[in-house]
Amino acid sequence: MAEYMKEQEKPLALATETDQIGIEESNPSPVEHTSRPNWNCIICCGCCAAIFLILGMIVLILMFTVFRIKEPILKMNSMKVQGLNLLRNTSLPPIVNLTVKADISVENPNYASFKFSNATTSVYYDTYVIGEFVSPAGRVEAKKSVRTSVTIDILVDKVLEVPRFRSDFGAGILPVSTFIGIRGKVKVTDVFKKRIFVQMNCTMNWNLSSEAIQNRNCKTRVKF
């Protein structure tokens, strides 16, 4: 009877072990099942972060190169006055035409064109305006410069009205200044654009005997 009981227990034990193995195979470890999605999520987040970092670096580089708007450069290359010797050779200044010819250049250091409206060039003797010239609107392409010639007719009547004219005429030197103002706009994109006002003020002495321009000093200011 005891042997019969042992034989009955053995199949039950084997069946139980087999059932347990089958259950374990049909239900894999939950740790093994959830580990793969975590790695995929980490890789995806890392790729997104790398893309945003690269895009940020590109935008930063563009802001300091292409999208950075620089100041246009305004230069007075040369200036010449015609007719001053006629004033020197007379006791009283005759009614003659004095002409000022100036060579002016505008340089655009930006990666976009610089468009500007009409520019006014004024000539001052003391605080009196003795001549003006209006240049037409224009455009300076990216990384290029434009030169223009300006001819200004001086109003002799205005020169004679200046209180200090006789003393300066006797010394043979007329202290004169010029002012040029250019308003324009640099537009890289609809977002990166700026309105610019470039102005140049020059002081100089006109020599009545040689018609030479002496001690010319020009200063440029830019306002955004």
Side-chain angles (χ1 to χ4, degrees), residues 172-174 176 203-207 209-217:
I173 298 292
L174 299 182
V176 178
T203 58
M204 64 200 76
N205 292 328
W206 290 357
N207 192 309
S209 59
S210 63
E211 293 191 357
I213 296 178
Q214 302 171 341
N215 304 324
R216 189 180 69 187
N217 183 22

Side-chain angles (χ1 to χ4, degrees), residues 57-69 192:
M57 292 179 65
I58 293 174
V59 172
L60 189 63
I61 292 172
L62 290 176
M63 288 182 64
F64 283 96
T65 55
V66 178
F67 294 153
R68 182 186 177 188
I69 298 178
F192 293 91

Side-chain angles (χ1 to χ4, degrees), residues 69-87:
I69 298 178
K70 301 178 182 178
E71 301 176 353
I73 302 171
L74 185 61
K75 290 183 180 180
M76 176 78 72
N77 300 312
S78 63
M79 177 178 283
K80 186 177 181 181
V81 186
Q82 297 176 345
L84 286 177
N85 60 335
L86 298 177
L87 293 177

